Amino acid sequence: MPIYEYRCQSCGGVSSFFVRSIGVDLEPACQHCQSNEMQRRMSSFALGKTAASVHQNSPSGQSAAGTDYYRDPRNIGRNVEESFSRHGVELPQSVRETIDAARDGQVPKGIDI
Ligand SMILES: [Zn+2]
């Protein structure tokens, strides 16, 4: 469970908040003076835990499946093709060539697969 630490701008005290899930909007109040002027600090504990817990919490090993998905070269650029066809737009020739090249194992410059 991640811990967010906030430093109070009014009294300088540090308050720690457990959050049930990442991305929840927290409206922290100082645990010392109840001020709402809180500045987020990075907790070393939370930092150490984050990567591992995010991985474990991904539903039914989704991230592993995602990795395999992109190992199959036929799937490279598939989402691009789909988003074009969803909008009823034909794939531009340059995009078509980039995807085809990527499927042949050539990683296109400037594109992170
Ligand atoms: Zn305070």
Side-chain angles (χ1 to χ4, degrees), residues 10-25:
S10 300
C11 74
V14 173
S15 305
S16 302
F17 299 90
F18 288 95
V19 287
R20 289 183 190 283
S21 57
I22 293 169
V24 169
D25 264 351

Side-chain angles (χ1 to χ4, degrees), residues 8 11 30 32-33:
C8 177
C11 74
C30 177
H32 309 279
C33 73

Side-chain angles (χ1 to χ4, degrees), residues 17-84:
F17 299 90
F18 288 95
V19 287
R20 289 183 190 283
S21 57
I22 293 169
V24 169
D25 264 351
L26 207 59
E27 285 183 32
C30 177
Q31 288 164 355
H32 309 279
C33 73
Q34 273 72 53
S35 166
N36 289 315
E37 290 180 54
M38 304 294 280
Q39 180 97 45
R40 172 89 177 272
R41 300 173 83 224
M42 277 299 174
S43 150
S44 54
F45 173 79
L47 277 180
K49 288 277 184 186
T50 302
S53 54
V54 164
H55 207 71
Q56 284 165 5
N57 291 341
S58 68
S60 64
Q62 207 176 34
S63 60
T67 309
D68 284 345
Y69 181 85
Y70 285 105
R71 277 212 188 103
D72 186 340
R74 285 167 303 177
N75 288 327
I76 294 174
R78 182 159 291 177
N79 57 339
V80 180
E81 289 176 327
E82 279 170 3
S83 61
F84 271 98

